Amino acid sequence: MSQELLNKAVADSMKQDVPQFEVGDTVKVHCRIIEGEKQRIQMFIGTVIARSNGGIAETFTVRRIVNNAGVERTFPIHSPKVADIEVVRRGKTRRAKLYYLRDRVGKATRIKEIRAPSKKERAAAEAAAKAKAESQAVEEAAPAEQVPVAAEE
Amino acid sequence: MKQVKKMQPALLGKKIGMTQVYDDNGVLHPVTVVQAGPCKVLQVKTEETDGYNAVQLGFGDVKCHRATQPIIGHCGKVGAGPLAYIREIRCEEMPQKEAGQDMTVDCFEGVEVVDVVGTTKGKGMAGVMKRHNFGGQLASHGVKRKHRSPGSINGHATNLGTGPKIKKGKRMAGRMGGGKQTTRKHRLVKIDKDNNLLLIKGSVPGPNGGWVTVRKSKTARVKA
C-alpha cells in the first residue's frame, strides 16, 4: 500500500518512453545543457557499462575513450536533462556490470555485437521455415493414409 | 508584525516514506511523501465555551474493537468511525469551520513552506556523543577506555553557585528519541490532490507509517 502511494507520488516525474537498452549497448545520449537563457543538446556516445538502482532513481553509466583517457558519465534515466537515448549498437555480454573494461585498452574493449538480421538473412530464414512447414505437412498427410490400413489388419 | 487571524492550513497525516522527484527545472529534490487527510473536523473550540479557539481534527481509521469507548463516542458525534490520530490546531480567531466537515490537501494550495510535527524513532539508551553531539575523548595519547565518555561534569558548579551537586539539566547519557519533534521550514514541493499526498522536501520525524501533523510554517519569512 505504501509502496503504491510512493509510486503514485513520483509518477509525474518518471518518463514513460524510455527506450529499451541494456548493458553492453553503445548509446548516444542527448544531454540538455542549459547556459543561462540558452539551451542546447550535446551528445555523449559510449558503451553502457552499468545500470543501477530502480524506479525514479535508476541510473546508467556510459564509458568512452576521449584523447586516450577513459571518461565515464552516469546519467539518471528519468532526468529531464537527458533529452533522449539512442541505441547505436547492441552488445552481447555475460556480465551485468562491465567494470572490467576499465582495465583494458584498444581492441580488448570490444564487445560482441547482437546484429539485427539483414534482409538476405531474413529471406533465408523465411525460406527455411517455409520448407520445414511443407515437409511437416507432407509427413502429417502420409501417416493419415496408413491409419485405416492398420485398423483393417 | 500583524498577526494572521485566519486558521492556518494544517492537516494530520501519515508518513509514507521518502523518494525523489524532479521539478520543472530538472532539479532533483529529496522528498518525504505524507498521506494527508481527508481529515474530519471533530470539534470546534471557541473562546466562549472553551477559553481558546481551536479546531480539533481526526485522521486514520481504526477498528472499533481496538478503539476506546470515549473515542468511539466522540467521533460518532460527527458521524465518523473511531479515528487513530486526533490533534487540535489553535486559531487566533473564531474558526470558520463546523464539526463534521472534511479537510483535504486543497487547503495547502499556495503554501510554499511547511512545518512538520511528529514522534521521533526511539533510540534507547544513548551516550553523549550520539545524544548531544559531544566530541568524546582522543583516540590515543594515553586515553584508555574513555574514548566516548563526556569527561568532567564540573562538580563544583551548581545551581546555588557552588556545592556538592551538579547543575540541573546537565547533558548526559540517557534515553534518546521517541518524543515529539517539530522540523521547520520544509519546502512543499508538490500537492497531489488525486491521492491526498503532500511531497515535503527533506526528512521528517518518525518512522514510515508514523503520524505527523503538517502545518503552514510559522517561522518562515514570507517574501513580499
Side-chain angles (χ1 to χ4, degrees), chain A residues 81-111:
Chain A
K81 287 182 181 170
V82 175
D84 194 13
I85 305 161
E86 254 178 70
V87 180
V88 181
R89 182 176 180 273
R90 299 224 173 255
K92 187 182 172 186
T93 59
R94 300 176 69 163
R95 302 267 176 287
K97 304 275 191 277
L98 307 184
Y99 296 144
Y100 68 86
L101 290 180
R102 290 169 178 173
D103 305 326
R104 296 192 181 182
V105 251
K107 278 189 174 181
T109 60
R110 284 174 305 175
I111 291 169

Side-chain angles (χ1 to χ4, degrees), chain A residues 32-118:
Chain A
R32 198 167 276 153
I33 294 180
I34 299 160
E35 297 165 325
E37 292 286 292
K38 272 188 253 172
Q39 221 190 67
R40 63 191 174 82
I41 301 276
Q42 196 182 55
M43 299 291 178
F44 189 84
I45 306 166
T47 315
V48 180
I49 61 163
R51 278 182 83 154
S52 37
N53 303 332
I56 189 152
E58 187 170 0
T59 60
F60 63 103
T61 305
V62 181
R63 181 179 171 87
R64 68 174 298 188
I65 306 291
V66 182
N67 292 340
N68 276 337
V71 176
E72 282 178 18
R73 283 185 74 179
T74 303
F75 300 96
I77 284 188
H78 295 283
S79 171
K81 287 182 181 170
V82 175
D84 194 13
I85 305 161
E86 254 178 70
V87 180
V88 181
R89 182 176 180 273
R90 299 224 173 255
K92 187 182 172 186
T93 59
R94 300 176 69 163
R95 302 267 176 287
K97 304 275 191 277
L98 307 184
Y99 296 144
Y100 68 86
L101 290 180
R102 290 169 178 173
D103 305 326
R104 296 192 181 182
V105 251
K107 278 189 174 181
T109 60
R110 284 174 305 175
I111 291 169
K112 210 170 194 182
E113 186 173 1
I114 309 172
R115 283 177 171 282
S118 67

Side-chain angles (χ1 to χ4, degrees), chain B residues 71-218:
Chain B
I71 292 287
I72 294 172
H74 186 59
C75 298
K77 276 182 201 165
V78 295
L83 299 170
Y85 185 54
I86 297 170
R87 286 292 180 275
E88 278 181 16
I89 311 295
R90 290 288 285 264
C91 312
E92 296 290 332
E93 215 172 51
M94 213 172 93
Q96 303 293 318
K97 297 277 173 200
E98 278 172 30
Q101 268 184 334
D102 275 333
M103 284 179 69
T104 61
V105 287
D106 293 348
C107 69
F108 276 100
E109 196 144 357
V111 174
E112 282 179 7
V113 189
V114 295
D115 296 340
V116 182
V117 187
T119 307
T120 55
K121 284 183 187 173
K123 303 285 189 294
M125 170 78 192
V128 286
M129 287 181 73
K130 183 172 181 172
R131 194 172 179 220
H132 300 300
N133 293 330
F134 279 22
Q137 309 304 314
L138 295 178
S140 64
H141 291 296
V143 179
K144 263 187 174 175
R145 306 178 295 273
K146 290 275 178 196
H147 308 287
R148 295 182 66 87
S149 73
S152 165
I153 51 171
N154 274 9
H156 59 278
T158 72
N159 289 12
L160 301 165
T162 179
K165 291 179 170 179
I166 57 164
K167 273 194 168 175
K168 285 202 170 176
K170 180 72 197 158
R171 292 177 298 167
M172 293 190 187
R175 188 173 287 194
M176 183 184 172
K180 182 176 152 177
Q181 193 186 41
T182 308
T183 52
R184 296 179 188 279
K185 296 183 192 173
H186 293 276
R187 210 184 118 194
L188 186 54
V189 176
K190 205 180 127 192
I191 303 167
D192 186 343
K193 290 180 185 174
D194 298 335
N195 302 309
N196 291 313
L197 300 178
L198 295 175
L199 272 59
I200 297 165
K201 185 165 179 175
S203 57
V204 307
N208 291 348
W211 302 119
V212 290
T213 306
V214 185
R215 60 160 194 247
K216 186 183 172 184
S217 180
K218 284 183 177 176

